[in-house]
Amino acid sequence: MSDASILSDTERTTGRDALRKNIQAALALSSAIRSTLGPRGLDKLLIDDSGRTLTTNDGVTVLETAKVEHPVAKMLINASSVQDKIARDGTTTTVLVSAEMLNNAWHLVTQGVHPSMIARGYRMAEEYCRKELLSFTIDATKDDRLIATQTSLAGKGHEAMRMHLARLSVEAAEIIADTQSDVAIADPTRVKVLSQSGGVVTDSKLVTGLVLAKKRILEAMPKKIGAGNVLLINGGIERRAMASDMKLNVTSTGVLQSFRDKELEMLTQQVEQLQSLGVTLLACREGIDDDIRSALNDAGIQAYRRVARDDLDLLSRGCGATLVHDVKHATAQDLGAFIESRNEMWNSVSHWIVETEEGGATFIARGSTTDVIGEVERCFGDALGVACQLIEEPLLLAGGGATYIALARRLRRHGETIPGREQLAIEAYADALEIVPRVLAENAGLDPINTLLEIVASQSNANDDISHYFGLNVDTRKSTNMVDDGILEPLRITRQAISGATEAAVSILRIDDVLWAKTDAVIPEMD
Ligand code: ADP
Ligand code: MG
């Protein structure tokens, strides 16, 4: 059988043709989000299948919502999602840089440079950039962390909201930071987000401890209790549910009552066990029988039922408690400690606040409508991601395209020392990095070429030790020192954006054959 008949149900493009089509797909994707880059970027209106709408200028949100079928476009979207996971920002940048790398590679291919040669040159360029980036970094103070968090929110919501949320996220990151071991860790999932409708965005606040919209199971239980032991049950304290095919033979009038008494006795025993363990606070994922509420209160236990599993997990991390399946299996080792547990009424809704040693934090998102609250939550989430990674790696770079231009300038000089054709690829790579300031200028209504020339001039006129700080400030529309202007970004964002973009571009360059199954494949007939 010939090749053609084996692949009769497959569309196939090979060689240059495949590369051209793949690069076209990458460029189409990047042009869809190009206008969102930077503080002057525009928003996109996203409408999902059920007609729900969302306006955003977040690259990864746009890409993940769009139903893109092209496999190469999906590879770029994937790079953007990875960027979001690792650095929590820089998602638009990654796609733009990657597509520009491919675009420039295509020019070299048409001049007869082999894609694998370009891929090799790109790898060399990436390695050089990663090293060079380290010489550009600034150690972040607490103020700098706030500035960088604000920069990452640029273009999202209004200014008062950005300032407020950036400040809260830096505070939250500090509360949950674990700096005891050699490497500092700040896990943003340790911050609980609770929404509360009403009020304005700047009423959003941070509460130390974990806050749940819950009420203690009995009004008579004390509203507020001081330090004590907590038990978390991943189940409930309930009567056994009767299986539907279970039969109870009632032979005399007392049987049913004694069955009930026996059950209640078993529940009461569990309360006694809790008391002997020294539990003063109890939270169950499932129910707690109404008939033992008073007994729990008499035993000095403040109790909560139907607590979501996620919240139990947060409690367990904050209090150092182990989740147990039921009371019978609980031991003293499973207990955790808390500093205070109290109930407060907010907007006529009862809230339960637990303060713990390990210091969890809850962000209360406020806003007039659910859309506004949603935006506040997303903005806070982004800011918190950046604030947390700055605790883990407190190194910053100048924003506004400064770092990209500085890298491009050095890379070109470095390329001159490479004798092979890789030199061409390294130059193409340097050109691709400049897409960031070019698009920032374009979106601010400035001429991209003039802006680029201006930044390059200001970098070469400055002293060597600060030349890489000069970039475009879109607020003043001038090329100035970004560190003085407070436009700073975490190193991790830029480093990951460059690596992710290179990774995606190189893997797309390596493809020389695209086999695409036709959707309505037919079974070939036997001869
Ligand atoms: P991404 O999805 O890649 O994070 P953004 O739309 O958030 O894209 O834009 C980030 C870019 O905007 C960064 O390169 C950052 O340096 C730049 N930026 C932020 N504030 C300013 C500013 N005031 N002037 C110029 N550039 C800025
Ligand atoms: Mg961003």
Side-chain angles (χ1 to χ4, degrees):
M1 241 199 291
S2 74
D3 230 23
S5 65
I6 292 174
L7 297 176
S8 63
D9 292 323
T10 310
E11 268 177 43
R12 180 177 188 184
T13 45
T14 53
R16 242 192 206 211
D17 208 25
L19 187 59
R20 187 175 53 80
K21 284 191 177 157
N22 289 343
I23 290 178
Q24 267 171 359
L27 287 174
L29 193 74
S30 83
S31 73
I33 53 164
R34 190 180 175 108
S35 64
T36 68
L37 186 79
R40 291 291 146 91
L42 299 176
D43 289 350
K44 301 272 169 195
L45 173 64
L46 309 179
I47 306 163
D48 72 7
D49 287 350
S50 49
R52 271 192 304 256
T53 57
L54 172 71
T55 50
T56 180
N57 69 0
D58 188 33
V60 73
T61 313
V62 176
L63 295 176
E64 286 177 351
T65 313
K67 287 206 168 141
V68 176
E69 292 294 343
H70 198 285
V72 163
K74 278 189 186 158
M75 286 167 79
L76 277 191
I77 295 174
N78 197 23
S80 178
S81 306
V82 170
Q83 174 78 23
D84 192 41
K85 272 202 201 78
I86 296 181
R88 297 301 296 253
D89 199 7
T91 53
T92 315
T93 306
T94 306
V95 174
L96 288 182
V97 172
S98 196
E100 194 64 11
M101 284 175 181
L102 288 166
N103 194 19
N104 295 353
W106 178 247
H107 290 303
L108 291 180
V109 170
T110 55
Q111 289 163 34
V113 185
H114 196 273
S116 63
M117 185 71 80
I118 303 173
R120 204 159 51 236
Y122 277 12
R123 284 266 181 239
M124 290 163 79
E126 182 207 354
E127 208 185 304
Y128 179 82
C129 286
R130 283 177 73 96
K131 275 201 214 108
E132 209 57 18
L133 274 181
L134 295 177
S135 68
F136 292 170
T137 56
I138 303 157
D139 292 334
T141 63
K142 181 171 180 180
D143 286 347
D144 294 336
R145 276 189 272 136
L146 179 61
I147 291 171
T149 309
Q150 282 166 354
T151 306
S152 86
L153 289 185
K156 290 182 186 145
H158 53 84
E159 187 170 357
M161 165 167 142
R162 284 201 302 270
M163 297 295 162
H164 188 65
L165 297 184
R167 196 171 50 74
L168 296 186
S169 67
V170 170
E171 268 174 42
E174 256 170 28
I175 295 175
I176 54 148
D178 175 4
T179 45
Q180 316 240 306
S181 47
D182 291 346
V183 274
I185 296 170
D187 175 2
T189 62
R190 288 206 51 197
V191 179
K192 172 154 176 83
V193 175
L194 196 74
S195 63
Q196 204 188 347
S197 58
V200 291
V201 170
T202 44
D203 291 336
S204 302
K205 62 179 178 182
L206 196 68
V207 180
T208 351
L210 189 67
V211 184
L212 308 178
K214 284 259 156 221
K215 197 174 176 182
R216 58 200 187 282
I217 56 169
L218 193 67
E219 197 70 35
M221 287 176 174
K223 252 192 184 161
K224 181 163 142 182
I225 55 172
N229 297 320
V230 58
L231 180 68
L232 307 173
I233 301 181
N234 188 20
I237 308 182
E238 292 171 296
R239 287 162 209 266
R240 276 167 302 174
M242 280 209 208
S244 57
D245 56 353
M246 194 163 130
K247 278 203 189 104
L248 199 62
N249 275 335
V250 182
T251 49
S252 72
T253 45
V255 170
L256 197 56
Q257 191 51 45
S258 73
F259 180 79
R260 286 194 179 130
D261 291 348
K262 183 79 194 151
E263 272 200 322
L264 186 59
E265 193 189 314
M266 280 162 71
L267 291 175
T268 316
Q269 273 171 8
Q270 296 189 33
V271 177
E272 281 161 12
Q273 198 187 337
L274 288 171
Q275 195 175 16
S276 68
L277 278 171
V279 173
T280 54
L281 179 63
L282 173 74
C284 295
R285 188 172 57 78
E286 288 166 10
I288 296 177
D289 198 286
D290 279 350
D291 291 341
I292 57 158
R293 290 187 301 177
S294 300
L296 281 168
N297 188 29
D298 295 343
I301 298 172
Q302 196 191 51
Y304 297 83
R305 60 185 168 196
R306 312 229 176 273
V307 179
R309 175 64 204 251
D310 289 354
D311 293 332
L312 282 180
D313 284 340
L314 282 171
L315 274 170
S316 116
R317 288 161 85 176
C319 305
T322 321
L323 248 71
V324 293
H325 191 70
D326 52 35
V327 177
K328 274 177 258 151
H329 294 99
T331 64
Q333 279 85 42
D334 298 322
L335 301 184
F338 64 94
I339 299 170
E340 186 179 276
S341 166
R342 62 181 189 273
N343 273 222
E344 281 178 17
M345 292 299 276
W346 296 351
N347 275 4
S348 13
V349 178
S350 176
H351 285 80
W352 171 31
I353 302 150
V354 194
E355 286 185 22
T356 61
E357 283 290 354
E358 286 302 313
T362 304
F363 170 69
I364 317 282
R366 302 290 303 270
S368 48
T369 65
T370 45
D371 282 350
V372 175
I373 293 180
E375 195 185 359
V376 169
E377 286 181 1
R378 275 194 305 279
C379 256
F380 177 78
D382 290 346
L384 181 65
V386 173
C388 282
Q389 53 148 305
L390 277 173
I391 298 247
E392 295 178 356
E393 197 175 1
L395 292 172
L396 297 168
L397 292 170
T403 301
Y404 291 91
I405 297 234
L407 278 179
R409 292 178 65 220
R410 296 196 185 193
L411 198 53
R412 286 197 188 96
R413 254 178 275 151
H414 170 69
E416 287 169 11
T417 65
I418 312 280
R421 283 184 168 206
E422 288 90 346
Q423 187 185 123
L424 296 172
I426 292 174
E427 263 169 38
Y429 191 97
D431 292 344
L433 294 178
E434 289 178 344
I435 188 77
V436 176
R438 278 215 306 271
V439 174
L440 285 174
E442 203 174 280
N443 289 347
L446 295 165
D447 181 84
I449 296 175
N450 288 348
T451 307
L452 223 67
L453 294 172
E454 230 177 80
I455 301 176
V456 170
S458 56
Q459 289 204 354
S460 39
N461 289 333
N463 279 341
D464 265 0
D465 52 337
I466 56 161
S467 67
H468 47 278
Y469 295 163
F470 282 80
L472 168 69
N473 182 339
V474 299
D475 299 325
T476 59
R477 303 163 71 85
K478 292 215 165 62
S479 144
T480 42
N481 185 325
M482 296 289 104
V483 180
D484 294 345
D485 291 4
I487 302 172
L488 294 170
E489 287 174 321
L491 163 71
R492 196 185 282 183
I493 295 180
T494 310
R495 188 180 54 207
Q496 178 60 32
I498 290 177
S499 296
T502 312
E503 193 67 47
V506 164
S507 39
I508 292 167
L509 279 175
R510 287 189 180 286
I511 301 170
D512 97 316
D513 208 348
V514 178
L515 301 175
W516 202 325
K518 286 180 188 164
T519 42
D520 51 352
V522 284
I523 299 163
E525 278 173 35
M526 302 286 278
D527 285 332

